Amino acid sequence: MVFKKLLGAIGVGGPSVDTVLDGGPVLPGGALAGQVHLEGGSSDAEIEQIVLELVARVEAEGHDGEHEGAVVFDRVTVGGGFRLDEGERRSVPFSLVLPWETPVTELHGQALGVVLGVRTELHIAGARDKGDLDPLRVGPLPVQEAVLDALGRLGYGFRSADLELGHIHGTGQQLPFYQEIELTPPGQYAHAVNEVELTFLASPSGVEVVLEADKRGGLFSGGHDVVNRHHVSEADIASADWVGTVEGWGRALMERHGGAHGAYVHGDPHGDPHHAGLHHGGGHGHGGHHGSSRPGMGAAVAAGAVGVAAGVAGGLVAAEVVDEIGDAFEEEEEESGED
């Protein structure tokens, strides 16, 4: 899906730009490749820089409720330093590495509801314009896919996914936001837990898996959140009993009765010095569910995708939703310029 826009900052008759990404989803930490197609306008132009920005639609909690906006989480110069003659057509190939914590947008071809985009910015003779915005598709790392499929086989259901502005206290998080995948608990835990929230924080050394249970309140006690975290690596893929391992994580999460120790309160993603760091999960569980015939999370996502508010159309992010990212980011720039 390619969107073409005349560079208004340059004026009518200025250069135009199309950025075409190579097909298929990219993995976190993997290479994003494509080409920037330029077409000269009615006069020659000095192309000083071609910059690609990775943009995400992110939710933030404020005093007056929840807001959505666009966050640029990476910015890479992929070309420039040449003259584009009148009417000339030129293609600039590029390849850039995605940040390891880039959110996952789809699982087994089913969109999760997270919206990412790649925006192209041209710097021409001192002027600049964001001339092109394309949706970015990101698939899970093998470890992430194994954990998600194990959760599905254990009876967890996909509810929704979004990006939250802030940092999870006690983790190695690098980006200014984190992805939350909201799951319904399996039947045996439904009486105690409203939902389970899953966050992946990938790095070259592996993936930090953060699980949060929103525990129901009892007759004489209020509800509270409990968080466990676990570290896994790609080397675990072949040998691990993922269903047994994840079952052990879930059991440990449900059995913890909280208090301040080892928990962080949802809605305070920056952490609170009055709360201890996140609990490190114990050893791998080895339940007897290996080889379970239950469907994995891919099927759960397919079933739960109905009603997910993110402009999903046939597994692809709708064009108008991607445009919203650009509009939101442009509005933020205009507001900051007024200060």
Side-chain angles (χ1 to χ4, degrees):
M1 188 182 300
V2 180
F3 305 98
K4 189 172 182 179
K5 176 182 176 184
L6 190 64
L7 298 181
I10 310 303
V12 176
S16 61
V17 57
D18 280 330
T19 297
V20 180
L21 306 179
D22 288 354
V26 187
L27 300 185
L32 173 66
Q35 296 195 33
V36 179
H37 299 302
L38 301 173
E39 183 174 350
S42 56
S43 61
D44 298 346
E46 293 291 336
I47 308 298
E48 297 178 348
Q49 283 187 323
I50 304 172
V51 178
L52 297 183
E53 294 179 336
L54 304 183
V55 188
R57 191 177 70 182
V58 177
E59 296 180 357
E61 293 285 349
H63 296 296
D64 55 347
E66 194 172 79
H67 302 275
E68 287 188 344
V71 173
V72 176
F73 63 99
D74 202 10
R75 181 179 169 88
V76 180
T77 300
V78 297
F82 60 87
R83 173 183 291 272
L84 186 68
D85 294 334
E86 176 184 349
E88 178 187 357
R89 295 184 177 181
R90 180 181 295 209
S91 295
V92 179
F94 66 84
S95 179
L96 60 91
V97 177
L98 293 184
W100 281 97
E101 291 180 15
T102 299
V104 176
T105 67
E106 62 182 67
L107 177 65
H108 300 314
Q110 295 293 328
L112 298 180
V114 172
V115 182
L116 304 179
V118 179
R119 185 187 290 285
T120 307
E121 180 180 280
L122 287 188
H123 293 238
I124 304 177
R128 70 174 185 173
D129 198 0
K130 296 173 176 60
D132 196 27
L133 182 65
D134 299 272
L136 173 60
R137 298 169 57 199
V138 181
L141 293 166
V143 163
Q144 295 171 323
E145 184 174 337
V147 171
L148 287 167
D149 280 345
L151 286 165
R153 294 181 186 279
L154 289 167
Y156 292 83
F158 175 79
R159 178 172 288 169
S160 65
D162 58 21
L163 305 180
E164 299 283 344
L165 188 66
H167 286 79
I168 300 177
H169 181 61
T171 67
Q173 181 185 340
Q174 299 295 313
L175 293 184
F177 57 84
Y178 55 93
Q179 182 174 14
E180 276 189 349
I181 300 174
E182 297 180 356
L183 308 171
T184 57
Q188 67 267 35
Y189 300 133
H191 67 285
V193 174
N194 292 311
E195 69 177 12
V196 174
E197 294 175 347
L198 167 68
T199 295
F200 291 118
L201 298 174
S203 70
S205 65
V207 178
E208 195 169 9
V209 182
V210 183
L211 288 169
E212 176 182 353
D214 178 13
K215 304 192 77 173
R216 298 182 187 274
L219 182 61
F220 301 106
S221 63
H224 60 281
D225 293 348
V226 177
V227 180
N228 283 3
R229 67 181 187 186
H230 312 268
H231 189 273
V232 293
S233 69
E234 295 295 332
D236 297 327
I237 279 291
S239 59
D241 167 16
W242 285 107
V243 172
T245 295
V246 174
E247 182 185 39
W249 294 352
R251 190 187 317 114
L253 186 67
M254 303 304 169
E255 289 174 353
R256 293 188 58 231
H257 295 290
H261 178 67
Y264 95 102
V265 178
H266 185 68
D268 182 21
H270 296 280
D272 185 332
H274 298 291
H275 291 99
L278 294 178
H279 174 72
H280 287 267
H284 293 334
H286 295 283
H289 295 273
H290 185 66
S292 168
S293 60
R294 287 192 183 195
M297 188 57 67
V301 169
V306 178
V308 174
V312 176
L316 296 179
V317 179
E320 55 267 25
V321 176
V322 179
D323 288 337
E324 287 176 8
I325 297 182
D327 294 341
F329 183 57
E330 287 169 2
E331 288 172 6
E332 289 173 2
E333 280 199 328
E334 291 173 0
E335 290 173 1
S336 62
E338 293 172 359
D339 295 337

Short mmCIF file of all heavy atoms in Angstrom, two decimals, residues 4-42:
data_model
loop_
_atom_site.label_atom_id
_atom_site.label_comp_id
_atom_site.label_asym_id
_atom_site.label_seq_id
_atom_site.Cartn_x
_atom_site.Cartn_y
_atom_site.Cartn_z
N LYS A 4 0.91 8.59 -2.11
CA LYS A 4 1.72 9.57 -2.81
C LYS A 4 1.20 10.96 -2.50
O LYS A 4 0.01 11.21 -2.55
CB LYS A 4 1.65 9.30 -4.32
CG LYS A 4 2.63 10.14 -5.15
CD LYS A 4 2.62 9.67 -6.59
CE LYS A 4 3.61 10.45 -7.43
NZ LYS A 4 3.62 10.00 -8.83
N LYS A 5 2.10 11.85 -2.18
CA LYS A 5 1.69 13.19 -1.78
C LYS A 5 2.65 14.22 -2.36
O LYS A 5 3.85 14.09 -2.21
CB LYS A 5 1.66 13.27 -0.25
CG LYS A 5 1.34 14.65 0.29
CD LYS A 5 1.40 14.62 1.80
CE LYS A 5 1.19 16.00 2.38
NZ LYS A 5 1.35 15.99 3.84
N LEU A 6 2.11 15.22 -3.02
CA LEU A 6 2.95 16.31 -3.53
C LEU A 6 3.53 17.08 -2.37
O LEU A 6 2.84 17.35 -1.38
CB LEU A 6 2.10 17.25 -4.39
CG LEU A 6 2.87 18.31 -5.20
CD1 LEU A 6 3.75 17.63 -6.23
CD2 LEU A 6 1.88 19.24 -5.90
N LEU A 7 4.78 17.43 -2.44
CA LEU A 7 5.44 18.10 -1.32
C LEU A 7 4.98 19.55 -1.25
O LEU A 7 5.53 20.44 -1.88
CB LEU A 7 6.96 18.03 -1.50
CG LEU A 7 7.52 16.60 -1.48
CD1 LEU A 7 9.02 16.62 -1.63
CD2 LEU A 7 7.13 15.90 -0.22
N GLY A 8 3.98 19.80 -0.41
CA GLY A 8 3.38 21.12 -0.33
C GLY A 8 4.35 22.19 0.13
O GLY A 8 4.25 23.35 -0.25
N ALA A 9 5.32 21.84 0.98
CA ALA A 9 6.26 22.83 1.48
C ALA A 9 7.15 23.35 0.37
O ALA A 9 7.72 24.43 0.47
CB ALA A 9 7.11 22.23 2.60
N ILE A 10 7.29 22.55 -0.69
CA ILE A 10 8.14 22.97 -1.80
C ILE A 10 7.34 23.78 -2.81
O ILE A 10 7.88 24.55 -3.58
CB ILE A 10 8.77 21.73 -2.49
CG1 ILE A 10 9.40 20.82 -1.44
CG2 ILE A 10 9.79 22.14 -3.52
CD1 ILE A 10 10.45 21.48 -0.59
N GLY A 11 6.03 23.60 -2.78
CA GLY A 11 5.18 24.34 -3.69
C GLY A 11 4.75 23.48 -4.87
O GLY A 11 5.28 22.40 -5.13
N VAL A 12 3.75 23.96 -5.59
CA VAL A 12 3.26 23.25 -6.76
C VAL A 12 4.39 23.13 -7.77
O VAL A 12 5.12 24.07 -8.03
CB VAL A 12 2.06 24.00 -7.38
CG1 VAL A 12 1.61 23.31 -8.66
CG2 VAL A 12 0.91 24.09 -6.38
N GLY A 13 4.54 21.93 -8.32
CA GLY A 13 5.61 21.71 -9.28
C GLY A 13 6.89 21.21 -8.63
O GLY A 13 7.89 20.98 -9.33
N GLY A 14 6.88 21.00 -7.32
CA GLY A 14 8.05 20.47 -6.64
C GLY A 14 8.16 18.97 -6.80
O GLY A 14 7.28 18.32 -7.38
N PRO A 15 9.23 18.36 -6.30
CA PRO A 15 9.41 16.91 -6.40
C PRO A 15 8.32 16.16 -5.66
O PRO A 15 7.72 16.67 -4.71
CB PRO A 15 10.77 16.68 -5.75
CG PRO A 15 11.46 18.00 -5.75
CD PRO A 15 10.38 19.01 -5.62
N SER A 16 8.07 14.94 -6.07
CA SER A 16 7.15 14.05 -5.36
C SER A 16 7.90 12.80 -4.95
O SER A 16 8.95 12.47 -5.51
CB SER A 16 5.93 13.70 -6.23
OG SER A 16 6.34 13.02 -7.40
N VAL A 17 7.37 12.08 -3.95
CA VAL A 17 8.07 10.94 -3.40
C VAL A 17 7.10 9.81 -3.11
O VAL A 17 5.98 10.03 -2.65
CB VAL A 17 8.84 11.33 -2.11
CG1 VAL A 17 7.89 11.92 -1.07
CG2 VAL A 17 9.59 10.14 -1.52
N ASP A 18 7.51 8.59 -3.42
CA ASP A 18 6.81 7.36 -3.04
C ASP A 18 7.83 6.46 -2.37
O ASP A 18 8.92 6.24 -2.91
CB ASP A 18 6.27 6.61 -4.25
CG ASP A 18 4.98 7.19 -4.78
OD1 ASP A 18 4.23 7.75 -3.97
OD2 ASP A 18 4.75 7.10 -6.00
N THR A 19 7.50 5.94 -1.21
CA THR A 19 8.35 4.95 -0.57
C THR A 19 7.64 3.61 -0.63
O THR A 19 6.50 3.49 -0.19
CB THR A 19 8.65 5.33 0.89
OG1 THR A 19 9.38 6.55 0.90
CG2 THR A 19 9.48 4.25 1.58
N VAL A 20 8.32 2.62 -1.17
CA VAL A 20 7.76 1.28 -1.32
C VAL A 20 8.56 0.32 -0.46
O VAL A 20 9.78 0.16 -0.65
CB VAL A 20 7.78 0.82 -2.80
CG1 VAL A 20 7.19 -0.58 -2.93
CG2 VAL A 20 7.02 1.81 -3.68
N LEU A 21 7.90 -0.31 0.50
CA LEU A 21 8.55 -1.28 1.37
C LEU A 21 8.48 -2.66 0.73
O LEU A 21 7.52 -3.00 0.05
CB LEU A 21 7.87 -1.32 2.74
CG LEU A 21 7.73 0.02 3.48
CD1 LEU A 21 7.01 -0.19 4.81
CD2 LEU A 21 9.09 0.66 3.71
N ASP A 22 9.53 -3.45 0.97
CA ASP A 22 9.50 -4.82 0.49
C ASP A 22 8.33 -5.55 1.15
O ASP A 22 7.96 -5.27 2.28
CB ASP A 22 10.81 -5.54 0.82
CG ASP A 22 11.96 -5.04 -0.05
OD1 ASP A 22 11.70 -4.24 -0.97
OD2 ASP A 22 13.11 -5.47 0.18
N GLY A 23 7.76 -6.51 0.43
CA GLY A 23 6.57 -7.18 0.92
C GLY A 23 6.82 -8.05 2.13
O GLY A 23 7.94 -8.49 2.42
N GLY A 24 5.73 -8.31 2.87
CA GLY A 24 5.79 -9.20 4.02
C GLY A 24 6.17 -8.51 5.30
O GLY A 24 6.77 -7.43 5.29
N PRO A 25 5.82 -9.11 6.45
CA PRO A 25 6.17 -8.51 7.73
C PRO A 25 7.65 -8.63 8.04
O PRO A 25 8.32 -9.57 7.59
CB PRO A 25 5.33 -9.32 8.73
CG PRO A 25 5.12 -10.64 8.05
CD PRO A 25 5.04 -10.34 6.59
N VAL A 26 8.16 -7.69 8.81
CA VAL A 26 9.55 -7.68 9.27
C VAL A 26 9.55 -8.10 10.73
O VAL A 26 8.57 -7.91 11.45
CB VAL A 26 10.16 -6.27 9.10
CG1 VAL A 26 11.65 -6.29 9.41
CG2 VAL A 26 9.93 -5.76 7.69
N LEU A 27 10.66 -8.67 11.21
CA LEU A 27 10.77 -9.06 12.60
C LEU A 27 11.45 -7.98 13.42
O LEU A 27 12.28 -7.21 12.89
CB LEU A 27 11.56 -10.36 12.72
CG LEU A 27 11.01 -11.59 12.01
CD1 LEU A 27 11.86 -12.81 12.34
CD2 LEU A 27 9.56 -11.84 12.37
N PRO A 28 11.14 -7.86 14.70
CA PRO A 28 11.88 -6.93 15.56
C PRO A 28 13.37 -7.22 15.50
O PRO A 28 13.79 -8.39 15.53
CB PRO A 28 11.31 -7.23 16.96
CG PRO A 28 9.94 -7.79 16.71
CD PRO A 28 10.07 -8.58 15.44
N GLY A 29 14.17 -6.18 15.39
CA GLY A 29 15.61 -6.36 15.26
C GLY A 29 16.06 -6.76 13.87
O GLY A 29 17.26 -6.94 13.62
N GLY A 30 15.10 -6.92 12.94
CA GLY A 30 15.41 -7.34 11.58
C GLY A 30 15.56 -6.16 10.63
O GLY A 30 15.37 -5.00 11.00
N ALA A 31 15.88 -6.47 9.39
CA ALA A 31 16.13 -5.44 8.38
C ALA A 31 14.84 -5.08 7.65
O ALA A 31 14.12 -5.96 7.16
CB ALA A 31 17.17 -5.91 7.38
N LEU A 32 14.55 -3.79 7.59
CA LEU A 32 13.44 -3.26 6.80
C LEU A 32 14.03 -2.68 5.53
O LEU A 32 14.85 -1.76 5.57
CB LEU A 32 12.70 -2.17 7.59
CG LEU A 32 11.62 -1.41 6.83
CD1 LEU A 32 10.46 -2.33 6.47
CD2 LEU A 32 11.14 -0.21 7.63
N ALA A 33 13.64 -3.22 4.39
CA ALA A 33 14.21 -2.81 3.11
C ALA A 33 13.11 -2.27 2.20
O ALA A 33 11.93 -2.56 2.36
CB ALA A 33 14.94 -3.97 2.44
N GLY A 34 13.54 -1.49 1.22
CA GLY A 34 12.62 -0.94 0.25
C GLY A 34 13.32 0.07 -0.63
O GLY A 34 14.55 0.12 -0.68
N GLN A 35 12.52 0.89 -1.30
CA GLN A 35 13.07 1.92 -2.18
C GLN A 35 12.26 3.20 -2.05
O GLN A 35 11.05 3.15 -1.89
CB GLN A 35 13.07 1.45 -3.64
CG GLN A 35 13.96 0.26 -3.91
CD GLN A 35 14.22 0.07 -5.39
OE1 GLN A 35 14.29 1.03 -6.16
NE2 GLN A 35 14.37 -1.17 -5.80
N VAL A 36 12.97 4.32 -2.11
CA VAL A 36 12.34 5.63 -2.17
C VAL A 36 12.37 6.08 -3.62
O VAL A 36 13.43 6.26 -4.20
CB VAL A 36 13.07 6.66 -1.27
CG1 VAL A 36 12.39 8.02 -1.39
CG2 VAL A 36 13.09 6.19 0.18
N HIS A 37 11.19 6.23 -4.21
CA HIS A 37 11.08 6.66 -5.61
C HIS A 37 10.83 8.16 -5.64
O HIS A 37 9.84 8.65 -5.07
CB HIS A 37 9.94 5.93 -6.31
CG HIS A 37 10.10 4.43 -6.36
ND1 HIS A 37 11.19 3.83 -6.94
CD2 HIS A 37 9.31 3.43 -5.89
CE1 HIS A 37 11.07 2.52 -6.84
NE2 HIS A 37 9.94 2.25 -6.19
N LEU A 38 11.70 8.88 -6.32
CA LEU A 38 11.59 10.33 -6.45
C LEU A 38 11.28 10.69 -7.90
O LEU A 38 11.76 10.04 -8.84
CB LEU A 38 12.89 11.01 -6.03
CG LEU A 38 13.36 10.76 -4.59
CD1 LEU A 38 14.74 11.35 -4.39
CD2 LEU A 38 12.37 11.35 -3.60
N GLU A 39 10.51 11.74 -8.06
CA GLU A 39 10.24 12.28 -9.40
C GLU A 39 10.38 13.79 -9.35
O GLU A 39 9.75 14.45 -8.52
CB GLU A 39 8.84 11.90 -9.87
CG GLU A 39 8.55 12.38 -11.30
CD GLU A 39 7.21 11.88 -11.82
OE1 GLU A 39 6.60 11.02 -11.16
OE2 GLU A 39 6.78 12.37 -12.88
N GLY A 40 11.27 14.31 -10.21
CA GLY A 40 11.53 15.73 -10.22
C GLY A 40 10.32 16.53 -10.66
O GLY A 40 9.46 16.05 -11.42
N GLY A 41 10.23 17.76 -10.17
CA GLY A 41 9.12 18.64 -10.51
C GLY A 41 9.43 19.48 -11.73
O GLY A 41 10.13 19.04 -12.65
N SER A 42 8.96 20.71 -11.69
CA SER A 42 9.10 21.59 -12.86
C SER A 42 10.44 22.33 -12.86
O SER A 42 10.72 23.12 -13.76
CB SER A 42 7.96 22.61 -12.87
OG SER A 42 7.92 23.34 -11.65
#
